[in-house]
Amino acid sequence: MSMEEIYADAIKDPNNQPKKLLRRTYDGTTIAMTYAEILLNRAIKDFGTEQEVGYPDTAYHLPVITCLSGEKVTKLGELVPILNRMRSQIRTELTFENARLWGESTLYAAEVIETINYLRGEEPKVKPWTGFLGDPIVRKHGIKMVDWTIPGVAVILGRAKDSQAAKKIVDNLMGKGFMIFLCDEVIEQLLEVNVKIGEDYIAFPLGNFTQIIHAVNYAFRAGLAFGGIPAGERENHRDYQRRRIRAFVLSLGETDDVKLAASMGAIFMGFPTISDQVLPEDMQIPDWYVSEPDYEKIVPLAMEVRGIKLTNIEIPIPVNFGPAFEGESIRKAETYVEFGGGRSTAFELVQSVGPDEVVDGQVTVIGPEIDTVPEGSRLPLGIRIDIFGRKMQDDFEGVLERRIHYFANYGEGIWHVAQRDLCWVRISKDARAKGFLIKHLGELLLAKLKQEFPAIVDRVQVTLITDQAAVEEGLVKARERYRARDDRMRSLTDESVEDFYSCLLCQSFAPNHVCIVTPERVGLCGAVSWLDAKASFEIAPNGPNQPIPKGPAIDELKGMWQSTNDYLFKASNNTLEEVNLYTLMDKPMTSCGCFEAIMAIVPEANGLMLTTREHSGMTPCGMTFSSLAGTCGGGMQTPGFMGIGRTYLLSKKFIPADGGLSRIVWMPKELKEFLREDFIQRSIDEGLGADFIDKIADESVGTTVEEIIPFLEENGHPCFNLEPLM
Amino acid sequence: MPRYRDLTHTARPSDAPRVVDPKNPIRTTDPGALQMLEMIKDKNIETVYDRVVAQQPQCAFGYKGICCRICIAGPCRVKKEDGPGSRGICGASAYTIVSRNIVRMIAGGAASHSEHARHVLHTAHALVDGHADDYEIKSPAKLHKLAEKLGVATLDRGDKDILRDVVEIGYADFGRYQDRPLAFLDSFMTEGRRKKFQHTNIMPRNIDGSITELIAQTAMGVDSDPVNIIFGGLKSALADLGGEYIGTNLSDVLFGIPEPIVSEANLGVINPKMVNIAVHGHNPVLSEMVVAAARAMKEEAVKVGAEGVNIVGICCTGNELLMREGVYLATSSASQEMAILTGALDAMVVDIQCIYPAVQTIAECYHTKVITTEAIMKVPSAQHIAFNTTTAMEDAKKLIKIAIEAYKHRDPKKISIPNEKHKLVAGFSVEALTEIFSKINPERPISVLTDAIQSGQLKGVCLMAGCNNLKRAQDESHITVLKELVKNDVFVISTGCSSGAFAKFGLMSPLAVDTYAGEGLKSFIQTLEAANPQLATGLPLVFHVGSCVDNSRAVDLAVAMANELGVDIPKVPFVASAPEAMHEKAVAIGSWCITMGLPTHVGSLPPVEGSDLVYGITTQIAHDVFGGNFIFEVDPVIGASKLLDALEYRTWKLGIHRQTAEKNDTAIAQGW
């Protein structure tokens, strides 16, 4: 179905258009266009046409314009013809068809206005307000948005009838796992009643007025970054938005002409607007601009109109639950009770057991429940999860155990870090006040395991231990299990296994991308290990992870197999014929868009540099992470550049064909710290010495080749003695 | 756009009637004026109140702003929603016609205020050139402060030298052609406002040029983009504010900074035993001289049997003299004719603006002499004495002589003076207010006001300003809005005929505090009084800051509060209200209030309803862009509650922004 066809049924009788809505939308468009023009020409007067413009932390220039027209604007003067083109597509006749073009023009106007705001340094944003959201954030949450792990996107603007009503809507959406963009007074309303909003909660308070465009330029970047749709393919981008971004707009409180024009911009992208105002017929367009004054019905209606169906189950716990709370941190002062973290004994263990050793659905607490201990207590904790499944394997224990971290953090007011016997859990005062008990952590884990892994999990029971003696007893057994698992892991090498696994999860947005996951090469997102892929195959035999029987190698050193080539060709829709797993210089693996880190060659140093999604600064190859990602993402093979998972650096199979670890000449400090201990061990194993990590330059040394070469020379970095890379 | 807590408050006005009781000629609530109307009941004397009735119903096209008379192919009216009838002959649609009409009113207002300013400037110029010996630099302190703001050197320089430079800058502000901002505007702004005006291209570089440009922009066949036209209008509105700054500041230099002063108001101040001269209009340059001349000529009045010469003020000339000299205020604009009806007014000396041509018609029934004094303001059959700064005192004396002569011809049978007069305290320049606050906090005087707002003792500040508009009974809306605001602990300052209304009703007196102020406002005023024993009087319910040009003083207060709070004006709990707006000057003032970031209530609809776009920009989008917006509401009770809502909105937002900043350890969010 073409984009325009989806609007076909909205206006039943072309002679009976919603005149009032259209007239006000037209007025709003006029206001936005002229306001943009006034600001633009004044800015040109002040700065000149050659003035550089752009948003911070993005490789996509002005994303709305990049997407829709392909123009990569870098200078102020370039905006004049673009804005004029948008002015001249405005037709006065009041029809829904014309109105969508007014909507498009309004998106451009808002992008121009905000670009100039950034140029002027007006209204610098302070936490939790975000303004423009940089590429790192788009990448962090974007995949979940387009693969529908995040079931939908709600854009809320205006002011709800009262703050509690605003909270109710947002709590509801957060509980369902929505991504939320906020604009205008609803932000203050939510702050007033202490709803957690901000970057950490996937609920972005953008700002006021035209700053709503930052929801739009976020969404458009998904099509560029994950959809692999080239800049300027307007219809394909709209189509991608309509198909993959399940967004709707909630317009709360009295509206105005400019808001109406902006809503029409959303409609142009395929997103409906629901208003909480009572609207006459000539102020509505069925399925697209709809009135629903009942706050109980507004979210269900929005979901219905946008076609969002939830697969999530309700979990019987007294706090909100969803990915919105994944990034929430709980500081000491906010903590009601904490467990582990080196301060008390703790462990977590998933074990595979026989069918008679588990009472399905049972949650047991051994030791004191947290309502019997005073605020500020510290308790020991054992989390033991017994699973029976016909398809369950011992190998999956670690995979499922790692899920404890994610699932626990989904709970509002529950914080979990680290793993195994280092795990550290906090429960906030707020959560406790809402009635949260340690038992509920068990309910939560139980429900999520059953929901997410139905194919391998048949029966589950969760035991939570807060009694010191019982925890210690459990810990001994847990450590035995960890040891056994580690021994098994060590034996898992690329050579020792029969099958590699593919990962095509990202093809929903990068259609030709093929990840090949081996025991010694984690998927480039960092989230899919060989064991994960294997488990995933058991869960969904026709899913994104398929076994690739390895067979004999064509090139052991570079890592090429006939089997992987054959698989690649088909899976890349016949676009790629060969892939080497152990080099970035020759037919390297493709990069989708969600890699944790990216490598690039530094020819002057005969080495490689790495930068991460978290590092927004400049690097010695002259590009930031965002620009690098923009150049080689989208499922292409780009020799000399490659996206990887962070821990791939610690693998024995880290680009052996290119010389391995010794090639690394620069990486961000944060990555050094993240990997430090293991990295030093790997350096010793490779004969590079314990101090190799200090020979690698970072941003404190410099961010240009000129700055780092003397450092590398002084510190005796081995790169200069290696074989020439090129 | 702002969305208020009270969901019934939208950007649209209530359904209250636009003209209340259109057939009723008793269109005033002023007790003095009512007594006069009672007195002339059977006398076949036509007043403004009769003419309002005669004009009903008024033209609906004109009322909505959709009648275009800019070229003589017209007049064109917007008659239909669609098709040829929805546009003028040239194709101008409703939004073009409405926006052009309304900004031309701004041009008119800006021209008026700046004409006033130009006159003061000429006087100051004559003074430094030695051609105005009757004038002096009465407040060197103000001159120095002003020079400092404008970047004029003061060290080791004589006051006249300094004034010469200041005057030059003032002249330059009228006609500058370089792309530099209007100095008298630029130097008084917050950093945030200055940038906002520059970035939105509405910072005027001069006064005359902005007005001329606006007229050119809106001529037939030029600009038809309503947004561009409105921005052009806003530039002129800011030029108007620049003119007001020149007017207020130089008047303070020449005639002194107002200080708290006690006086009386309403028609009862006309004294049957004295030669009574009303000074009416807006400009203090002449009237200050009349006051001085009256003191000097007491003897001549005594010679004709009077006890002396009694100068009373009407309208903003009255306000100027009340603020600085404590001259009695006889009445305000809509009831100006009533002063003549007392039969004891011997002369009405007028300068410019808001003077009804009808005063001459009424004066013809009495012995009263109407005397015009300005080259651009004459009335057929009224006397004209050209006023010159060079011969100021001499000219003033001529005027008084005419009055003394007229006194002889009073008809005792026609004398009927209402016994209506009220004590009042006026004279609250920002300097005077600051002085009062400084007795509580000498380092940060304005924090006394902002702390009271942040603690909830006060709800905020409201500037009440503007004219009379007889679509409702005179002064009813001023009084109602004031009572609602003070009852709810709003600190009210007032100018112009809003001040006139309060003064005439006895609401500008310390006595009114007990009766009308809410507990918070009452305790705030009591605290101020307790800290200021040096004041010979108590403090009033509402603080008179001056004439309509002196609305610039309200901006000074808003700027000081913004700086104290560390935010820009759109975040300051400060609103404005013109409950009975009438003049083009009010359109200009209202428009700059919006750009300054003040929610501004107007109790009489300006002609903008013919275009939803223009209405939407003025009441909604302006808030997003500038932080201020119009609140059009004719019912004064609802209007007041919308003002309270607007204050609550700001206090609420600012409070949350503060809490959030503390929680996250950041600077305070600057959005509004």
Side-chain angles (χ1 to χ4, degrees):
Chain A
M1 192 192 262
S2 87
M3 194 68 191
E4 285 303 309
E5 283 171 61
I6 65 172
Y7 306 104
D9 293 337
I11 308 284
K12 298 272 181 294
D13 173 7
N15 295 319
N16 190 13
Q17 303 268 353
K19 278 274 168 65
K20 191 166 178 206
L21 176 69
L22 294 175
R23 187 181 302 281
R24 291 193 63 185
T25 305
Y26 173 78
D27 282 356
T29 308
T30 305
I31 296 170
M33 296 313 284
T34 302
Y35 183 49
E37 180 278 315
I38 288 172
L39 295 187
L40 175 59
N41 280 310
R42 181 71 228 186
I44 287 174
K45 220 169 179 180
D46 293 342
F47 299 99
T49 52
E50 293 303 296
Q51 171 65 42
E52 286 201 10
V53 290
Y55 293 124
D57 284 338
T58 183
Y60 301 107
H61 306 90
L62 309 181
V64 170
I65 298 172
T66 306
C67 246
L68 292 176
S69 71
E71 284 143 313
K72 292 174 179 159
V73 174
T74 56
K75 289 180 183 158
L76 198 51
E78 292 161 4
L79 290 171
V80 176
I82 294 173
L83 194 62
N84 275 329
R85 194 174 66 232
M86 285 300 116
R87 276 174 85 102
S88 64
Q89 77 165 10
I90 296 168
R91 298 273 168 276
T92 321
E93 198 194 346
L94 303 179
T95 66
F96 185 33
E97 197 181 346
N98 280 343
R100 294 194 293 275
L101 295 179
W102 306 337
E104 184 188 21
S105 292
T106 304
L107 299 181
Y108 274 75
E111 187 89 316
V112 170
I113 292 166
E114 278 304 298
T115 301
I116 293 167
N117 279 348
Y118 269 86
L119 171 64
R120 298 272 192 191
E122 279 190 346
E123 259 195 72
K125 290 293 173 220
V126 293
K127 255 186 152 183
W129 284 269
T130 62
F132 179 80
L133 293 155
D135 292 352
I137 297 169
V138 176
R139 288 178 193 286
K140 189 168 166 195
H141 304 298
I143 295 157
K144 290 185 217 154
M145 175 168 84
V146 297
D147 76 3
W148 302 336
T149 306
I150 292 174
V153 179
V155 180
I156 309 178
L157 47 96
R159 179 173 179 167
K161 62 181 180 183
D162 56 55
S163 299
Q164 286 302 336
K167 175 180 160 60
K168 212 167 163 188
I169 287 183
V170 169
D171 277 351
N172 180 354
L173 290 167
M174 280 182 162
K176 291 184 164 70
F178 270 67
M179 174 181 281
I180 302 169
F181 293 92
L182 303 159
C183 195
D184 301 316
E185 294 90 352
V186 69
I187 296 170
E188 281 82 5
Q189 287 186 306
L190 295 171
L191 291 171
E192 183 177 25
V193 290
N194 293 314
V195 177
K196 297 180 180 108
I197 52 173
E199 270 175 32
D200 295 340
Y201 303 97
I202 328 184
F204 305 109
L206 301 170
N208 296 333
F209 193 42
T210 47
Q211 277 140 20
I212 193 71
I213 197 65
H214 300 314
V216 177
N217 60 40
Y218 185 109
F220 270 133
R221 272 176 286 167
L224 291 163
F226 312 125
I229 301 168
E233 293 191 358
R234 175 173 174 267
E235 288 314 301
N236 286 334
H237 274 290
R238 284 176 77 192
D239 186 58
Y240 184 87
Q241 293 294 317
R242 170 175 67 92
R243 283 188 300 103
R244 298 236 55 104
I245 314 290
R246 291 170 152 183
F248 56 77
V249 180
L250 297 183
S251 177
L252 305 181
E254 195 182 5
T255 191
D256 59 54
D257 297 351
V258 173
K259 283 214 157 34
L260 288 171
S263 297
M264 201 55 81
I267 292 170
F268 166 80
M269 295 167 77
F271 309 146
T273 297
I274 321 296
S275 162
D276 70 344
Q277 302 291 290
V278 179
L279 297 175
E281 218 167 89
D282 63 354
M283 275 296 290
Q284 299 193 55
I285 300 173
D287 291 343
W288 290 106
Y289 197 90
V290 189
S291 155
E292 180 48 76
D294 185 340
Y295 273 57
E296 297 297 325
K297 295 184 187 155
I298 197 164
V299 171
L301 177 69
M303 288 172 57
E304 189 185 305
V305 173
R306 185 63 186 105
I308 301 172
K309 289 191 178 65
L310 292 181
T311 50
N312 265 359
I313 46 164
E314 296 283 326
I315 300 172
I317 56 173
V319 294
N320 282 315
F321 179 86
F325 306 103
E326 209 183 328
E328 173 192 31
S329 63
I330 296 168
R331 282 172 295 194
K332 200 167 167 48
E334 300 156 14
T335 304
Y336 183 84
V337 55
E338 72 175 325
F339 311 90
R343 292 163 176 146
S344 67
T345 323
F347 73 90
E348 57 195 29
L349 179 71
V350 169
Q351 55 184 357
S352 169
V353 297
D356 304 328
E357 295 169 69
V358 47
V359 180
D360 188 32
Q362 178 176 279
V363 176
T364 316
V365 178
I366 300 172
E369 200 16 295
I370 59 173
D371 58 352
T372 63
V373 301
E375 184 178 308
S377 295
R378 191 175 287 153
L379 292 174
L381 181 67
I383 303 173
R384 200 175 65 220
I385 302 177
D386 301 317
I387 294 175
F388 164 74
R390 281 163 193 83
K391 298 226 166 163
M392 179 71 186
Q393 300 177 16
D394 290 354
D395 272 355
F396 300 159
E397 284 181 1
V399 173
L400 298 183
E401 195 173 290
R402 194 65 202 128
R403 294 286 121 188
I404 295 175
H405 171 71
Y406 296 103
F407 296 156
N409 276 325
Y410 275 20
E412 182 184 15
I414 297 122
W415 176 82
H416 179 287
V417 288
Q419 65 287 315
R420 291 188 170 179
D421 52 356
L422 296 170
C423 70
W424 185 4
V425 176
R426 279 175 170 173
I427 291 167
S428 75
K429 289 175 188 170
D430 282 351
R432 180 69 220 53
K434 288 177 186 158
F436 192 83
L437 297 170
I438 197 69
K439 160 183 99 173
H440 292 122
L441 179 61
E443 298 284 359
L444 191 162
L445 295 172
L446 193 128
K448 286 303 284 182
L449 283 166
K450 291 198 114 177
Q451 180 199 348
E452 303 247 326
F453 301 99
I456 52 174
V457 172
D458 292 337
R459 298 179 199 170
V460 192
Q461 70 178 17
V462 182
T463 311
L464 297 147
I465 313 165
T466 58
D467 174 75
Q468 184 67 32
V471 172
E472 278 171 22
E473 193 186 325
L475 179 63
V476 176
K477 285 186 194 154
R479 283 188 173 148
E480 278 170 30
R481 207 80 185 197
Y482 299 153
R483 231 182 334 268
R485 248 189 248 160
D486 287 348
D487 291 345
R488 162 83 176 132
M489 281 306 291
R490 264 189 288 277
S491 73
L492 277 181
T493 61
D494 287 5
E495 286 79 13
S496 71
V497 297
E498 296 296 318
D499 296 332
F500 290 163
Y501 282 89
S502 68
C503 184
L504 303 180
L505 204 60
C506 297
Q507 286 205 345
S508 56
F509 41 85
N512 299 332
H513 171 66
V514 181
C515 237
I516 294 168
V517 182
T518 76
E520 294 180 271
R521 182 168 182 174
V522 65
L524 51 74
C525 58
V528 180
S529 70
W530 183 82
L531 279 178
D532 289 314
K534 191 175 172 207
S536 156
F537 173 64
E538 289 300 334
I539 296 163
N542 298 314
N545 300 105
Q546 295 294 320
I548 307 173
K550 195 172 58 172
I554 297 171
D555 185 332
E556 295 267 3
L557 182 65
K558 287 185 175 174
M560 186 184 283
W561 286 263
Q562 189 58 48
S563 60
T564 49
N565 284 349
D566 292 346
Y567 184 86
L568 174 79
F569 185 66
K570 271 189 288 170
S572 69
N573 304 311
N574 304 348
T575 57
L576 298 167
E577 293 178 358
E578 291 181 325
V579 62
N580 285 313
L581 302 191
Y582 301 150
T583 171
L584 85 160
M585 297 307 292
D586 180 22
K587 304 189 179 77
M589 211 148 81
T590 55
S591 303
C592 52
C594 44
F595 32 82
E596 285 187 304
I598 192 162
M599 297 197 285
I601 52 166
V602 183
E604 298 88 339
N606 196 34
L608 302 171
M609 55 144 284
L610 277 127
T611 184
T612 63
R613 192 160 56 188
E614 283 69 24
H615 184 73
S616 60
M618 188 41 74
T619 72
C621 73
M623 286 191 268
T624 60
F625 179 84
S626 285
S627 330
L628 277 166
T631 356
C632 54
M636 295 179 295
Q637 278 183 338
T638 320
F641 298 88
M642 186 163 68
I644 58 166
R646 283 168 168 245
T647 54
Y648 178 48
L649 257 82
L650 304 174
S651 163
K652 285 180 189 148
K653 288 289 190 303
F654 176 67
I655 51 167
D658 305 327
L661 274 192
S662 58
R663 282 289 176 190
I664 302 177
V665 298
W666 191 94
M667 61 184 184
K669 267 186 131 146
E670 184 268 335
L671 184 60
K672 279 187 181 176
E673 292 315 312
F674 180 76
L675 298 171
R676 184 170 280 277
E677 266 176 54
D678 296 328
F679 193 92
I680 290 174
Q681 189 53 51
R682 280 290 303 139
S683 307
I684 295 170
D685 294 351
E686 293 290 315
L688 293 164
D691 63 344
F692 177 61
I693 194 164
D694 302 320
K695 295 178 182 172
I696 299 172
D698 57 37
E699 68 271 26
S700 68
V701 173
T703 53
T704 61
V705 171
E706 293 71 27
E707 284 167 337
I708 65 165
I709 295 267
F711 173 88
L712 299 171
E713 284 170 352
E714 277 166 34
N715 287 282
H717 194 289
C719 59
F720 301 106
N721 303 322
L722 296 172
E723 293 211 354
L725 249 185
M726 303 172 69
Chain B
M1 59 164 296
R3 290 165 201 80
Y4 298 135
R5 190 176 296 273
D6 184 340
L7 301 175
T8 63
H9 288 172
T10 69
R12 292 278 153 190
S14 69
D15 294 335
R18 299 303 177 82
V19 180
V20 172
D21 215 356
K23 300 237 181 292
N24 182 3
I26 309 298
R27 308 194 73 75
T28 181
T29 56
D30 169 0
L34 281 171
Q35 285 185 39
M36 288 285 89
L37 290 185
E38 179 62 24
M39 189 270 292
I40 61 166
K41 188 162 67 174
D42 306 315
K43 288 204 172 85
N44 199 25
I45 294 176
E46 171 203 305
T47 70
V48 64
Y49 307 109
D50 303 308
R51 295 189 294 270
V52 173
V53 173
Q55 282 296 329
Q56 301 310 317
Q58 285 166 293
C59 170
F61 293 100
Y63 185 74
K64 288 185 183 167
I66 43 176
C67 169
C68 183
R69 294 173 301 105
I70 285 173
C71 81
I72 53 178
C76 294
R77 295 168 303 170
V78 176
K79 294 190 278 194
K80 292 210 163 95
E81 286 238 329
D82 309 295
S86 69
R87 290 179 281 276
I89 292 168
C90 66
S93 48
Y95 58 43
T96 302
I97 295 174
V98 171
S99 55
R100 284 199 301 219
N101 285 342
I102 196 74
V103 301
R104 283 191 161 213
M105 294 186 87
I106 297 177
S112 300
H113 280 139
S114 57
E115 177 59 24
H116 175 158
R118 195 185 341 251
H119 199 153
V120 183
L121 201 54
H122 282 328
T123 309
H125 183 242
L127 170 64
V128 293
D129 271 3
H131 301 311
D133 296 339
D134 299 326
Y135 296 89
E136 58 177 323
I137 297 172
K138 206 145 182 194
S139 176
K142 181 85 179 199
L143 175 63
H144 284 247
K145 199 174 120 190
L146 183 58
E148 202 180 299
K149 282 233 178 221
L150 293 168
V152 171
T154 53
L155 196 68
D156 298 330
R157 298 184 72 193
D159 288 344
K160 279 198 178 171
D161 260 0
I162 299 171
L163 182 57
R164 177 174 286 114
D165 285 1
V166 169
V167 166
E168 282 309 318
I169 292 176
Y171 277 135
D173 273 351
F174 273 90
R176 181 179 297 104
Y177 278 86
Q178 302 90 335
D179 192 5
R180 282 207 307 272
L182 199 68
F184 266 83
L185 181 70
D186 194 46
S187 355
F188 291 86
M189 290 299 108
T190 57
E191 188 57 25
R193 290 296 93 182
R194 190 178 290 130
K195 282 186 181 162
K196 180 54 90 177
F197 300 158
Q198 277 163 355
H199 299 173
T200 52
N201 206 30
I202 60 166
M203 180 66 102
R205 59 186 184 210
N206 58 26
I207 295 170
D208 291 346
S210 299
I211 298 167
T212 314
E213 182 183 80
L214 186 57
I215 298 296
Q217 182 178 3
T218 52
M220 187 271 148
V222 189
D223 204 343
S224 69
D225 182 331
V227 184
N228 207 47
I229 290 170
I230 288 170
F231 274 62
L234 295 178
K235 193 201 273 188
S236 272
L238 286 176
D240 176 279
L241 178 57
E244 291 187 36
Y245 265 114
I246 295 175
T248 300
N249 282 287
L250 284 171
S251 293
D252 280 358
V253 170
L254 295 183
F255 308 116
I257 303 172
E259 288 168 9
I261 196 162
V262 177
S263 184
E264 292 177 19
N266 215 328
L267 292 170
V269 300
I270 294 173
N271 187 335
K273 295 177 184 159
M274 308 266 271
V275 173
N276 293 302
I277 303 175
V279 281
H280 177 17
H282 283 77
N283 199 325
V285 172
L286 159 70
S287 50
E288 283 278 356
M289 277 304 134
V290 173
V291 173
R295 286 173 193 147
M297 292 175 69
K298 184 179 175 188
E299 285 313 308
E300 302 194 28
V302 171
K303 275 184 214 156
V304 297
E307 288 180 359
V309 182
N310 181 35
I311 306 293
V312 298
I314 296 178
C315 212
C316 279
T317 297
N319 285 320
E320 294 273 354
L321 296 182
L322 169 60
M323 290 286 285
R324 294 198 182 84
E325 313 291 345
V327 163
Y328 299 141
L329 188 69
T331 196
S332 52
S333 79
S335 42
Q336 55 187 271
E337 293 155 306
M338 303 297 115
I340 299 172
L341 296 182
T342 60
L345 192 67
D346 304 299
M348 182 181 272
V349 175
V350 302
D351 48 79
I352 44 169
Q353 297 165 17
C354 299
I355 298 143
Y356 291 165
V359 290
Q360 175 59 25
T361 324
I362 285 217
E364 283 163 16
C365 307
Y366 291 84
H367 73 290
T368 313
K369 298 294 173 208
V370 175
I371 309 152
T372 60
T373 56
E374 295 282 345
I376 60 162
M377 162 50 191
K378 294 172 190 175
V379 177
S381 75
Q383 298 193 44
H384 184 76
I385 303 279
F387 174 73
N388 292 302
T389 42
T390 327
T391 55
M393 184 53 91
E394 213 176 293
D395 296 342
K397 283 182 175 169
K398 279 185 209 160
L399 297 168
I400 296 192
K401 270 195 197 118
I402 294 172
I404 293 173
E405 186 56 31
Y407 173 83
K408 296 184 200 162
H409 304 287
R410 265 195 204 171
D411 179 351
K413 292 199 292 295
K414 285 188 179 170
I415 296 178
S416 170
I417 304 172
N419 57 354
E420 184 75 29
K421 61 177 173 178
H422 297 276
K423 287 253 183 306
L424 63 93
V425 185
F428 295 96
S429 56
V430 174
E431 289 87 342
L433 284 171
T434 307
E435 176 70 17
I436 289 168
F437 296 146
S438 74
K439 294 294 189 295
I440 294 173
N441 187 337
E443 278 81 41
R444 290 167 42 204
I446 300 298
S447 73
V448 174
L449 186 56
T450 52
D451 287 354
I453 293 168
Q454 289 190 295
S455 76
Q457 185 183 19
L458 296 177
K459 294 269 167 56
V461 176
C462 181
L463 161 68
M464 292 194 62
C467 335
N468 283 139
N469 189 321
L470 299 179
K471 291 199 164 67
R472 282 177 173 259
Q474 182 192 5
D475 297 336
E476 185 194 358
S477 297
H478 284 301
I479 302 297
T480 309
V481 171
L482 176 74
K483 284 183 179 169
E484 291 293 318
L485 293 181
V486 293
K487 183 170 81 189
N488 287 287
D489 300 319
V490 177
F491 185 84
V492 181
I493 59 175
S494 67
T495 60
C497 284
S498 202
S499 286
F502 307 145
K504 289 186 301 178
F505 278 72
L507 293 173
M508 201 171 266
S509 98
L511 293 174
V513 175
D514 253 359
T515 322
Y516 298 106
E519 287 310 314
L521 177 60
K522 206 183 287 179
S523 63
F524 182 72
I525 291 177
Q526 282 162 357
T527 312
L528 294 182
E529 283 175 345
N532 284 274
Q534 83 287 359
L535 291 177
T537 162
L539 292 171
L541 177 67
V542 43
F543 292 78
H544 193 346
V545 302
S547 66
C548 48
V549 156
D550 293 335
N551 281 309
S552 64
R553 296 195 204 274
V555 177
D556 280 340
L557 184 62
V559 168
M561 289 172 70
N563 291 337
E564 175 60 41
L565 290 167
V567 297
D568 196 12
I569 295 174
K571 293 180 83 95
V572 179
F574 196 122
V575 294
S577 171
E580 302 181 24
M582 171 273 295
H583 204 276
E584 287 175 324
K585 292 180 292 176
V587 181
I589 293 168
S591 302
W592 62 245
C593 277
I594 300 313
T595 63
M596 286 302 300
L598 304 179
T600 302
H601 164 241
V602 181
S604 39
L605 263 292
V608 294
E609 287 175 284
S611 160
D612 283 344
L613 180 143
V614 178
Y615 191 91
I617 289 180
T618 53
T619 57
Q620 299 182 307
I621 308 303
H623 176 268
D624 294 309
V625 175
F626 296 109
N629 57 284
F630 278 114
I631 300 168
F632 296 129
E633 177 53 58
V634 295
D635 181 310
V637 175
I638 299 175
S641 77
K642 286 184 170 182
L643 284 165
L644 289 166
D645 241 11
L647 287 173
E648 191 272 342
Y649 175 85
R650 289 191 168 199
T651 318
W652 171 71
K653 232 177 190 180
L654 184 60
I656 288 170
H657 288 180
R658 272 188 186 288
Q659 279 170 21
T660 306
E662 274 167 32
K663 202 166 159 186
N664 295 319
D665 196 21
T666 61
I668 188 161
Q670 288 297 321
W672 52 73

